[in-house]
Amino acid sequence: MSRAMRHPLDPMLGFHLVRTANLALRAVNAAYGDLGIRHPDGAVLLVIDANPGITQSSIGRLLNIQRSNIAPMVSRLVDRGWLERRPGKGKTIGMFLTESGQRIMPAIHAASTAGENMITTSIGADAYAATLETLKRLR
Amino acid sequence: MSRAMRHPLDPMLGFHLVRTANLALRAVNAAYGDLGIRHPDGAVLLVIDANPGITQSSIGRLLNIQRSNIAPMVSRLVDRGWLERRPGKGKTIGMFLTESGQRIMPAIHAASTAGENMITTSIGADAYAATLETLKRLR
DNA sequence: TATTGTTATACTCTATAACTATA
DNA sequence: TATAGTTATAGAGTATAACAATA
């Protein structure tokens, strides 16, 4: 194959969004690696830490994850002793961090910023802020 | 659950990158739906159309797809009569569009821009261009 | 009716290893 | 050694459907 190749997807933002998202997720998963969890688990822990008593359905709406996929994740985190379920109104169940779960949150916070740091050092703080503002406008 | 919830991932660009990428891929896959293919297939066809005779390994490098994952995709597209393999130097095999493949390219091009259009109408042309420039800097 | 939690299931995409063949 | 094509396999992530319980 000759050296110079045409890349018809290079001028498409969607392609670079997917590519950059994958790079960021890779960095985050590597940082979470020591804890034996992956990025969706970390996101769930962060949301529960910020919203004690939140339901699984609400977590799913915040993170764009189906509630049918939240259930097994929560079960694993409960098995590891980091989360506990407490019955709420009706069929709802509130999620809370255990003491053990609270102790690992500093590590979760640190690891969750690995992707952010990678992006920031690569594109600069100004571009980071501008892109964040831009993408937050998208619905 | 009370109305106002904290969203600890909302200030993180990585979260919005993943979310926006998923929205764009959803739009692209919906547009490709009529053709019975999905976004990786469309990307492969676009790359081959722009680079007749390109090898599978080179396609993978351009699109960040393992060559072990390119092989079955190409086989499906060959079975559908859109691609053909022609032996090249050594063990290399050049990929080419068939006549049938060339005839569907206008539809492929049109569908591939579905994600772009969704993003552009949502954030505006200026933000689109700025974000594209920013993300292209990332390695 | 609508929502919650849950299980089951299937599909897409990705990752790794191993093998043969060419250079 | 390095690269190309291929097969097999495993894993992560996502999607839909269905059900019982509750409001």
Side-chain angles (χ1 to χ4, degrees), chain B residues 2 15 20 33 60 69-70 78 88 97 101 105 126 135-136:
Chain B
S2 72
F15 174 75
T20 307
N69 295 323
I70 299 272
V78 168
L97 291 176
M105 285 314 297
D126 289 351
L135 295 188
K136 283 175 79 164

Side-chain angles (χ1 to χ4, degrees), chain B residues 59-77:
Chain B
I59 298 169
R61 278 189 292 270
L62 282 186
L63 298 178
N64 308 307
I65 304 177
Q66 309 294 322
R67 64 188 199 288
S68 59
N69 295 323
I70 299 272
M73 289 177 45
V74 163
S75 291
R76 279 198 307 274
L77 296 172

Side-chain angles (χ1 to χ4, degrees), chain B residues 101-118:
Chain B
Q102 287 170 13
R103 278 197 298 272
I104 63 159
M105 285 314 297
I108 300 289
H109 278 281
S112 72
T113 61
E116 307 303 296
N117 296 339
M118 186 271 289

Side-chain angles (χ1 to χ4, degrees), chain A residues 9-18 135, chain B residues 116 119 123 127-129 131-133 135:
Chain A
L9 280 74
D10 196 55
M12 294 188 178
L13 179 53
F15 174 75
H16 293 280
L17 282 170
V18 172
L135 295 188
Chain B
E116 307 303 296
I119 299 169
I123 67 178
Y128 179 100
T131 307
L132 178 60
E133 275 314 299
L135 295 188

Side-chain angles (χ1 to χ4, degrees), chain A residues 115-129:
Chain A
E116 307 302 297
N117 296 338
M118 187 271 287
I119 299 170
T120 303
T121 57
S122 180
I123 67 177
D126 289 351
Y128 178 101

Side-chain angles (χ1 to χ4, degrees), chain B residues 38-106:
Chain B
R38 293 175 60 81
H39 65 93
D41 307 280
V44 166
L45 289 171
L46 288 169
V47 167
I48 296 172
D49 185 40
N51 302 275
I54 191 173
T55 64
Q56 293 182 31
S57 293
S58 291
I59 298 169
R61 278 189 292 270
L62 282 186
L63 298 178
N64 308 307
I65 304 177
Q66 309 294 322
R67 64 188 199 288
S68 59
N69 295 323
I70 299 272
M73 289 177 45
V74 163
S75 291
R76 279 198 307 274
L77 296 172
V78 168
D79 290 345
R80 293 197 62 165
W82 292 339
L83 292 183
E84 64 177 343
R85 300 177 168 97
R86 295 186 205 158
K89 292 190 175 184
K91 201 180 180 180
T92 65
I93 301 176
M95 303 304 311
F96 296 86
L97 291 176
T98 63
E99 276 195 25
S100 174
Q102 287 170 13
R103 278 197 298 272
I104 63 159
M105 285 314 297

